[in-house]
Amino acid sequence: LLLVQLRRFRLLNEQYGYAIGDWVLMAQLQRLQQLVGKRGLVSRLSGDHYAIVFSRLDSVGVIEELAAQVVQKLSQPLFYDGKEIMALPVVGFCDYPERAGTATELLENADLAVNWCIREAQVSSRRFDPELAQQYATRIVELKDGKIRSDSDAFYVDEETADVPEHKNMGK
């Protein structure tokens, strides 16, 4: 399974408008369909998220090559009404049964790899590995001071030191 997401798509929508944003989404979907052909199934999951499913591939090298091809193909500029539009992709992928035992794990693991790519600006594609899952499982953001820390229990809240949220009416 390969998951594809477009970097900073929200900004593209804000800059050019939703009509052009929708056109970009369909243009990128068509590019993916041309690239994959009958070898697999391409689907737009939601927003700027796509999935590419293959029933069987010979090796991890084939998956890595396909991920590189997706990045190369979708990184080419699009042209709409004389405007050059860039919608750069990131690709996260996971293979069954080596790195996931169920369809749910396959999707979750590929999504973790996509999120890692989004966070690391210089990385366009990544294969899921268990170490990546461990990194995500132990990281939390402490909103109070904005620092990232590791914890053995990411959902623990010290109720004695936590501030009670202040609710304000922001309207007139």
Side-chain angles (χ1 to χ4, degrees):
L1 172 70
L2 285 85
L3 292 183
V4 180
Q5 183 176 344
L6 303 178
R7 280 191 201 273
R8 300 182 193 95
F9 182 74
R10 181 181 299 163
L11 296 175
L12 187 146
N13 250 349
E14 290 172 2
Q15 181 177 358
Y16 296 107
Y18 294 114
I20 293 177
D22 288 345
W23 178 83
V24 167
L25 293 172
M26 293 307 297
Q28 294 294 51
L29 177 61
Q30 289 173 351
R31 286 176 166 182
L32 287 171
Q33 289 170 331
Q34 290 170 355
L35 179 65
V36 172
K38 296 185 185 283
R39 297 180 294 171
L41 173 70
V42 177
S43 175
R44 181 171 162 217
L45 295 178
S46 66
D48 63 334
H49 295 73
Y50 306 90
I52 305 171
V53 180
F54 297 94
S55 62
R56 180 170 298 276
L57 294 173
D58 295 331
S59 69
V60 172
V62 172
I63 300 170
E64 291 169 342
E65 177 60 30
L66 284 167
Q69 289 173 0
V70 166
V71 169
Q72 190 276 330
K73 183 93 167 166
L74 271 60
S75 293
Q76 296 172 11
L78 294 162
F79 295 93
Y80 185 93
D81 197 27
K83 297 175 184 153
E84 181 178 318
I85 301 170
M86 298 298 292
L88 302 176
V90 294
V91 179
F93 54 98
C94 187
D95 46 310
Y96 172 87
E98 187 175 332
R99 303 277 170 110
T102 66
T104 300
E105 285 179 359
L106 193 64
L107 187 60
E108 289 173 350
N109 293 350
D111 191 50
L112 276 175
V114 164
N115 289 332
W116 190 89
C117 291
I118 292 290
R119 195 180 79 208
E120 300 295 326
Q122 277 69 35
V123 178
S124 297
S125 67
R126 167 93 189 231
R127 180 183 183 205
F128 170 81
D129 63 62
E131 183 179 308
L132 181 65
Q134 184 61 34
Q135 289 173 8
Y136 270 92
T138 59
R139 290 184 77 227
I140 67 166
V141 176
E142 228 177 56
L143 296 177
K144 185 174 179 180
D145 61 8
K147 294 180 181 175
I148 296 174
R149 66 182 175 87
S150 294
D151 237 348
S152 58
D153 184 357
F155 300 102
Y156 172 75
V157 175
D158 184 353
E159 293 181 15
E160 290 182 25
T161 61
D163 292 335
V164 176
E166 184 179 332
H167 298 281
K168 295 180 181 179
N169 183 354
M170 300 305 286
K172 289 186 178 182

